[in-house]
Amino acid sequence: MRRMPPERAADYYPIAYPALMLGLFFVVPFAIMLAISFFQRVQGGFYEPAFTFANYGRFLSVFFGEVLVFSLVLAALVSAVCLLLGVPFTYFLTKLSRKAQVFWLVALLGVLSLSEVIIGFAWSTLLSRTAGLSNLLVAIGFMDRPDAWTPGFGAVLTGLVYQAFPYTVLVLYPSFSRLDPSLMEASRTLGASPLKAFFTVVLPVLRKTLIATFIIVFIFALGAYLLPQILGRPQHWTLSVLITDQAVYQSNMPFAAAMAVFLVVASLSLVLVVAALNRKGAGQ
Amino acid sequence: MSAHWPKRLFLSALAVFLALPIIVIAGVALNEKKTLAFPPEGFSLGWYAQVFTDEGWRAALVHSVLVATAAAAISVSIAVPIAWFLWRRVAPWARIVEVLGLAPFILPPVITALGALSFWATTGFYGQPWTVVISHGIFFVSLPLVTVTLGFATIDREIIEAGMTMGADDRTLLKTVVFPLVRPYIISGFAFAFVLSLNEYIVAYMTVGFTLETIPIKIFNALRYGYTPTMASVSVFFVLVAVVVFGLVARFGDLPKLLGAWSEGDKG
């Protein structure tokens, strides 16, 4: 069948409804948020129309700078750990039987779909003094008495890696499962050890995928809004937490909106980098 | 081969890492008294029963399921026409609609949430229970959009050609050939959106956080204002729901293919 351009008005009907829904409930909200970011806050948690850059001006504070740097470093760290674990994992996964792959995929999807609330709650329990891992270590004699490992930076990092790991694997999975097995065979025939073949053949072939995955997981980690709150202290709060906090608890919508716009711009520029990478990859 | 054991060890370690929090909350929910001790002190299935017998938790569960069902239906209703249109027509500009469908999922969720809050507050509907249904419906369009687009891509265009030669019009073809072929992908897309909506917190919180309690909102409130083992049992219940739903998708569909691998036949 040949695809044809729409000709009559009726041909456009099918796309009209999705376009309308997405326009009204995604583009318009976005535009309103953008407008609010220039509004002025008034007493009592409300805001009034204005055109001020004051909300953006607040970015220049030391406090905001620290939160921003912390968010970026944390997201980069999460993404790096996820790739370090996820790359060998995905590679092994795609070598398993179809049945075993399905089992793992269901488990990964199960964890991925878990609410941040549930993940935060589960890890805070797991790292707590009364119910945590440290009890286990005491029982086998590694520690003298149970200790609380949450809240703390380690807990935030662990929780975020837990949440982002399945995502990382699912992003890597298509490329790894489509990897031509003959590449590996060829390098093995030429005398490379499996480990050497993995580092000198598989990873270079997938270099672009790896960079793209790093960025995609980075954005995913940047979006975490609950885990730093549940598992960390206020100094572990990220930009996403700050946005939620300003919008809901401080009732400062204009400032929250300005930060959200900033986050969109940052994320979008990263997405564009990924898209450019993919285009280059496709051109080869 | 002995070279296999590091691989086994690595996979097992990750399996433990992924399972550990779930094992602990499953255990915590077995406590006899209202405590979150692990290993559990005493044994009781009472906290599991509470998910269904306690009025507050049951109401939250009903809210979550209703919101997720309606939202997933909206997501599918938006995604299917986009995927169909892009498959059927040459219309590069329609890609914009596709990108809009994918955007909410790629951007940090707090942005969609804040956008929804701004929108519903401005239009005066803030707090209405149905607002979260629409906002979730938009938020999760990307999932059915990806699966259904994949579904259309698997249709052999020659089959359609044959149907057209035999005189079938668009509507007949859609009903007799196209729809049955993409149906499994539509169902998977629905399943993905349903499970994710069940678990979604931030958009729900910013739209109906103070008027309608869904399970994630109720768990979060319990985290703040008083722990109870019920939050553990309901979490375990949600894990089971996710595993069952994705297990069914895998049982009746080709999960690896749905997630981007070649299908079994392609591998050769």
Side-chain angles (χ1 to χ4, degrees):
Chain A
M1 184 199 68
R2 271 193 325 182
R3 294 163 70 217
M4 280 180 296
E7 287 153 5
R8 295 165 302 140
D11 292 348
Y12 289 96
Y13 291 162
I15 196 82
Y17 161 75
L20 189 77
M21 289 294 278
L22 289 168
L24 183 58
F25 297 117
F26 183 66
V27 179
V28 171
F30 200 82
I32 293 176
M33 189 173 77
L34 187 66
I36 291 177
S37 75
F38 294 104
F39 283 6
Q40 207 159 17
R41 189 188 178 205
V42 290
Q43 276 306 317
F46 296 100
Y47 44 86
E48 60 184 14
F51 188 72
T52 166
F53 284 97
N55 304 308
Y56 290 92
R58 285 182 71 176
F59 290 177
L60 297 172
S61 68
V62 175
F63 171 70
F64 182 82
E66 277 175 2
V67 170
L68 183 63
V69 170
F70 179 78
S71 309
L72 297 177
V73 170
L74 181 65
L77 206 55
V78 169
S79 197
V81 173
C82 282
L83 272 184
L84 279 176
L85 294 173
V87 167
F89 176 84
T90 315
Y91 182 70
F92 292 146
L93 176 67
T94 53
K95 300 284 167 221
L96 295 176
S97 71
R98 198 81 169 176
K99 214 169 180 177
Q101 285 191 36
V102 168
F103 170 81
W104 272 106
L105 291 174
V106 169
L108 289 168
L109 284 171
V111 172
L112 180 65
S113 62
L114 274 189
S115 181
E116 259 197 83
V117 184
I118 295 178
I119 295 178
F121 161 59
W123 276 100
S124 72
T125 309
L126 193 58
L127 299 175
S128 71
R129 194 166 56 213
T130 46
L133 279 177
S134 59
N135 288 330
L136 195 69
L137 295 181
V138 172
I140 55 174
F142 273 174
M143 283 169 66
D144 287 336
R145 61 186 124 82
D147 201 2
W149 292 331
T150 176
F153 181 73
V156 175
L157 188 65
T158 311
L160 285 174
V161 168
Y162 183 82
Q163 190 192 22
F165 176 74
Y167 189 68
T168 315
V169 174
L170 293 176
V171 174
L172 290 170
Y173 183 71
S175 308
F176 272 83
S177 66
R178 291 169 182 209
L179 194 68
D180 191 349
S182 59
L183 275 176
M184 218 27 196
E185 278 160 31
S187 66
R188 298 276 285 127
T189 318
L190 292 171
S193 68
L195 210 60
K196 193 173 177 196
F198 180 73
F199 280 106
T200 56
V201 178
V202 175
L203 290 190
V205 167
L206 294 174
R207 196 170 49 95
K208 284 201 180 97
T209 308
L210 298 181
I211 298 172
T213 308
F214 180 86
I215 297 174
I216 292 170
V217 178
F218 180 86
I219 297 173
F220 183 81
L222 210 52
Y225 48 87
L226 267 181
L227 294 177
Q229 238 173 314
I230 298 175
L231 299 171
R233 298 174 194 283
Q235 70 260 34
H236 303 131
W237 282 14
T238 58
L239 198 54
S240 292
V241 182
L242 205 60
I243 294 173
T244 320
D245 181 60
Q246 285 293 333
V248 179
Y249 299 106
Q250 316 293 331
S251 299
N252 192 345
M253 272 300 280
F255 185 41
M259 285 192 287
V261 171
F262 176 81
L263 192 58
V264 175
V265 173
S267 310
L268 275 187
S269 356
L270 288 170
V271 170
L272 289 179
V273 172
V274 176
L277 274 173
N278 284 341
R279 228 191 326 273
K280 254 166 121 187
Q284 278 180 357
Chain B
M1 252 189 341
S2 62
H4 274 312
W5 73 263
K7 178 173 134 184
R8 288 248 170 84
L9 192 70
F10 180 68
L11 289 179
S12 314
L14 275 169
V16 170
F17 173 64
L18 291 176
L20 210 53
I22 295 161
I23 294 170
V24 170
I25 52 172
V28 158
L30 292 173
N31 272 301
E32 205 169 337
K33 298 207 183 74
K34 192 173 178 173
T35 160
L36 291 179
F38 189 86
E41 292 158 1
F43 177 84
S44 153
L45 288 174
W47 303 111
Y48 282 97
Q50 267 230 320
V51 178
F52 303 97
T53 54
D54 180 85
E55 214 165 298
W57 286 101
R58 195 178 54 208
L61 189 64
V62 170
H63 294 156
S64 281
V65 170
L66 287 178
V67 167
T69 311
I74 292 179
S75 297
V76 167
S77 79
I78 295 173
V80 172
I82 301 177
W84 180 79
F85 192 80
L86 288 171
W87 174 77
R88 179 73 182 79
R89 303 282 173 201
V90 183
W93 50 266
R95 294 270 165 211
I96 297 171
V97 184
E98 187 189 24
V99 169
L100 284 180
L102 295 174
F105 205 67
I106 296 168
L107 293 173
V110 73
I111 291 164
T112 306
L114 202 66
L117 171 59
S118 317
F119 180 76
W120 297 120
T122 307
T123 50
F125 296 114
Y126 174 72
Q128 298 284 336
W130 51 266
T131 54
V132 67
V133 173
I134 295 181
S135 291
H136 266 189
I138 298 291
F139 190 39
F140 294 118
V141 165
S142 40
L143 301 160
L145 188 53
V146 168
T147 60
V148 177
T149 303
L150 194 67
F152 277 113
T154 59
I155 297 178
D156 190 346
R157 285 184 190 269
E158 279 176 26
I159 301 176
I160 310 296
E161 197 86 51
M164 282 170 117
T165 321
M166 291 162 100
D169 60 9
D170 240 20
R171 189 176 292 265
T172 319
L173 277 174
L174 207 58
K175 223 164 59 188
T176 56
V177 183
V178 176
F179 184 68
L181 283 173
V182 294
R183 189 166 42 203
Y185 297 89
I186 296 177
I187 295 172
S188 329
F190 182 92
F192 279 85
F194 176 80
V195 172
L196 269 102
S197 167
L198 272 188
N199 282 283
E200 205 283 333
Y201 170 77
I202 189 85
V203 174
Y205 183 66
M206 287 215 186
T207 49
V208 295
F210 297 106
T211 51
L212 184 83
E213 244 183 352
T214 62
I215 288 285
I217 293 175
K218 192 156 171 66
I219 296 177
F220 186 72
N221 288 342
L223 268 174
R224 292 213 137 184
Y225 307 115
Y227 285 72
T228 145
T230 317
M231 54 203 278
S233 54
V234 78
S235 302
V236 174
F237 180 65
F238 264 41
V239 174
L240 287 179
V241 169
V243 169
V244 167
V245 169
F246 294 128
L248 284 175
V249 169
R251 173 76 183 72
F252 294 104
D254 189 345
L255 192 60
K257 188 178 175 187
L258 211 53
L259 295 171
W262 298 126
S263 66
E264 209 144 16
D266 300 338
K267 262 189 159 173

